Structures are given as structure tokens and as C-alpha cells.
Amino acid sequence: MSKLNNIFSIGLDDRDRLNKELGGGIPTGSIVLMEGDYGAGKSAISQRFAYGLCETGKSVTFLSTELEVKGFIEQMDSLNYNVEEHLLFENMLFLHGDLDSGGVLSSDEEQQRQDLLTDLMEEDTIWSADVIIIDTFDAILRNDPKFEALVRENEERQAALEIISFLRDIISQGKVVILTVDPSTVGEEAIGPFRSIADVFIELEMIEVGNDIRRQLFIKRFAGMGEQVGDRIGYSVRSGTGIVIENRSVA
């Protein structure tokens, strides 16, 4: 069987070279961890993944802790990722993680603060798609009262391992789970287990060169790659265009 049969292409080959740079796409049955500080481009890259996957016929759940649906559509449109049709025809399910009211699924009703991670894992609709993207996952960890309590008891590693066990069950069905994380907001004990088990681990870096800020994807791990994947991929985010792969080196 060809390796590419076990790969989800992220498409848009006629618009950018990201799919090619990533060896043809994301291996099925993978946990993908994308780390980056605030402003590094985690949301833009995850939105590029989501749109490209839908364009290739895959179903996607996109859970955002920052954007509501109107803001999500506007941001996607600003990158020329016209996602309305995919939402209309239910190729993509967008959900807003309403952390203020304590619910992973946004609701107009008043909700008492609850265990966000339990709520997330028990909502079958979220996990029914081919690819599930959670942007940003650290916000859910930080706002989950049970996880907060475990942090105070220095037991966050055990909580992380329980989440990982659940995610392993999900990807055993051939799905892909993509988690974005700002590592400056959570401790090493919490994020370390996710780094260790991620099949694909990508750091988003920002480097100052003179007055210019250059961005790159640092590929720290890429298990099951279709074709060769480079260590670093330079990119920019351009209004009206989306993700653009840059040839210049920023190492």
C-alpha cells in the first residue's frame, strides 16, 4: 500500500507549497501538537489546515477558544479561505469554546463552571469528524477547575496522561487530532506528556531580522511522513492570500 493512502492531504497545491513541504499531508491516526507563543501564527496555520482538508473532502471539527463563528468566518475570509460553503454543507463544524461561562460548547443559557475537559471528551459530536482541531488547547487546560486543582497538588502530569489515553482512542479510528498550545501559559509537567506522545510536533518560531519578523515552522517530529519533510519551513501570513511559504532561510 502506498504511504500516501495513509496521509490526509492538506490540499491547496495550486496556492501554496505547504502540503508539499509537509511531505504530502498529515499521517492518519496522528496527534499533532503545534506550539507557539502569542502571535506566532498558530491560528492562521490551523485555519489553513482546516480549509485545505475540507477542500480535499475531509470533514473537520474546529473548536476555537478565541473566536466566535462570525469572527472565524471573517478571519478565514481575510486569508481568502472561503469557508462558508463548507460550514453550510457541514463539511466543517465550528464550535466556540465559551470559557467565560464554563462550557466547551457555547450556549445562550447560563451555565455553572464545570469540568471543561470532561465536557469536551463526552461531546461525541466534536469527535465525529476525520480531523479535530482545538485552538487553543492550553486555554481549556487553564480554565478547567479539576485541572487547576491538580496543578496545585502537582498532579497535572497524571491528568495529562488521562487526556492522552482518550486521544489515543480517538486516533485509533484513523482520525487526526490537532492541538495548538502557547507553552508560556502552562507548566512543563502539563505540556511535557503531550510533547512526548505527539506523532507530529511542530514549533512555530518568530525571529527578528533587522526590522522584520520572520516566521518558521520547526519540525521537531514527524512520524509516518509521506515524503521527506524539512526541518524548518519559512512562511508568512498575508491578508487576501493566506499562508505563503518563503524560500529564505531564517536559521
Side-chain angles (χ1 to χ4, degrees), residues 15-139:
R15 287 186 51 177
D16 63 46
R17 302 196 314 275
L18 185 57
N19 190 58
K20 181 179 179 180
E21 294 286 344
L22 293 177
I26 305 299
T28 60
S30 294
I31 295 173
V32 180
L33 181 65
M34 290 200 297
E35 281 192 16
D37 293 335
Y38 180 80
K42 298 184 298 297
S43 292
I45 292 289
S46 59
Q47 289 163 9
R48 161 64 180 87
F49 277 25
Y51 180 65
L53 285 159
C54 285
E55 287 286 288
T56 64
K58 299 297 182 290
S59 58
V60 175
T61 295
F62 196 109
L63 172 61
S64 173
T65 60
E66 298 177 344
L67 297 173
E68 296 187 7
V69 64
K70 182 176 184 291
F72 176 73
I73 292 173
E74 288 175 349
Q75 188 161 319
M76 293 289 271
D77 282 347
S78 75
L79 299 172
N80 199 22
Y81 300 150
N82 301 313
V83 75
E84 291 93 335
E85 187 172 300
H86 292 303
L87 292 168
L88 181 63
F89 290 100
E90 300 183 346
N91 303 323
M92 181 184 292
L93 171 64
F94 176 82
L95 298 168
H96 169 56
D98 190 359
L99 302 182
D100 291 334
S101 66
V104 168
L105 299 180
S106 59
S107 171
D108 293 332
E109 300 175 0
E110 290 295 323
Q111 300 182 44
Q112 292 185 344
R113 197 158 183 253
Q114 56 185 302
D115 292 346
L116 297 176
L117 290 165
T118 300
D119 185 23
L120 177 69
M121 291 187 286
E122 290 181 351
E123 184 53 58
D124 292 341
T125 305
I126 292 175
W127 308 100
S128 62
D130 298 318
V131 180
I132 301 92
I133 300 173
I134 302 179
D135 178 43
T136 61
F137 185 61
D138 60 276

